[in-house]
Amino acid sequence: MKKVLWAVALALLLSLSLAGCTKTYDYTVHLSEVRRDIFRAETEAFEVTLSCVEREHPYASDGIACPKSKLMEAVLIPADKSAENFTLTLGGEDWGGEMSFRSVEDDWFFSASCENFPSSEVTVTVEWDGQKQDIVATTVKNEGTMSAEEALEIAIGHEEEAVKALTKDGVFTGELRVRLLRRDVNYYYVGIIAPNGKTISLLLGAESGEVLARRESA
């Protein structure tokens, strides 16, 4: 019910805004998830990946983008699979906590709310089984990496007809997701989600902006 009320209010605000000016339509207000940055660090004992995420709550593929909260999500993969009881502290601050083991992914996971994301690096303190180690995690982004908003703009232009089909009375009726990805190089995933859950997924080069792959799913 809250998501429906939020969608109605958002549509009203957008329609009033469009009626009063001729600015380019702002699709960023329909973002339900954004992964803005990824930080990585590796030692002989473990590998840590930190993701800077903005995500709606409740999280659902229903075409309605609700207000988002900032989260720092951490994934740790130990070299010694028998090691356990991992605890993370980020940036030397008080916030941190015990990690939970995920049997399906075979890794350790921790998530915490975050007011301000780090810019280029962050100190990570890892404690486990009576051991403790500090390491600096650095961003995977470089000077040529696009912003999430730039990736979204490219995706919207590439899917002009699909986006037009989801626009009624001048208001976009779907929701959007943008995630920075890292393999050997950086990519962006962009999802365009209709109210019925049908999703168009695009994979973009994070530096070139080239659309490398496209998929539609029900």
Side-chain angles (χ1 to χ4, degrees), residues 91-212:
E93 300 180 9
D94 292 337
W95 60 284
E98 294 183 3
M99 306 190 78
S100 300
F101 180 70
R102 303 190 298 185
S103 57
V104 175
E105 290 82 1
D106 195 27
D107 61 22
W108 293 78
F109 178 80
F110 172 73
S111 177
S113 60
C114 177
E115 292 186 6
N116 299 299
F117 292 137
S119 56
S120 59
E121 62 181 39
V122 59
T123 301
V124 182
T125 301
V126 182
E127 298 182 59
W128 76 102
D129 296 343
Q131 302 183 64
K132 181 177 180 179
Q133 187 170 358
D134 293 335
I135 188 171
V136 176
T138 56
T139 178
V140 301
K141 297 172 72 173
N142 56 59
E143 293 182 355
T145 304
M146 296 185 300
S147 67
E149 288 77 12
E150 289 171 328
L152 177 62
E153 184 178 354
I154 291 174
I156 293 295
H158 188 273
E159 298 298 322
E160 184 176 356
E161 290 302 315
V163 171
K164 184 178 179 180
L166 290 173
T167 302
K168 304 198 184 312
D169 298 325
V171 178
F172 182 67
T173 61
E175 67 178 302
L176 304 163
R177 293 174 183 166
V178 181
R179 302 179 190 133
L180 178 65
L181 306 174
R182 175 71 182 187
R183 299 296 181 265
D184 294 330
V185 294
N186 295 330
Y187 302 94
Y188 272 107
Y189 161 84
V190 180
I192 302 172
I193 305 166
N196 62 3
K198 183 177 180 180
T199 302
I200 296 174
S201 299
L202 300 177
L203 183 68
L204 281 64
E207 279 76 42
S208 67
E210 180 183 358
V211 177
L212 305 173

Side-chain angles (χ1 to χ4, degrees), residues 46-86:
F46 54 79
E47 175 185 335
V48 175
T49 301
L50 308 173
S51 298
C52 302
V53 180
E54 296 176 20
R55 184 178 296 127
E56 69 172 358
H57 181 78
Y59 187 65
S61 298
D62 54 10
I64 301 173
C66 281
K68 302 182 294 295
S69 58
K70 289 185 175 182
L71 300 169
M72 181 70 83
E73 297 182 339
V75 174
L76 183 147
I77 301 175
D80 179 3
K81 295 300 182 180
S82 66
E84 53 186 21
N85 302 319
F86 286 93

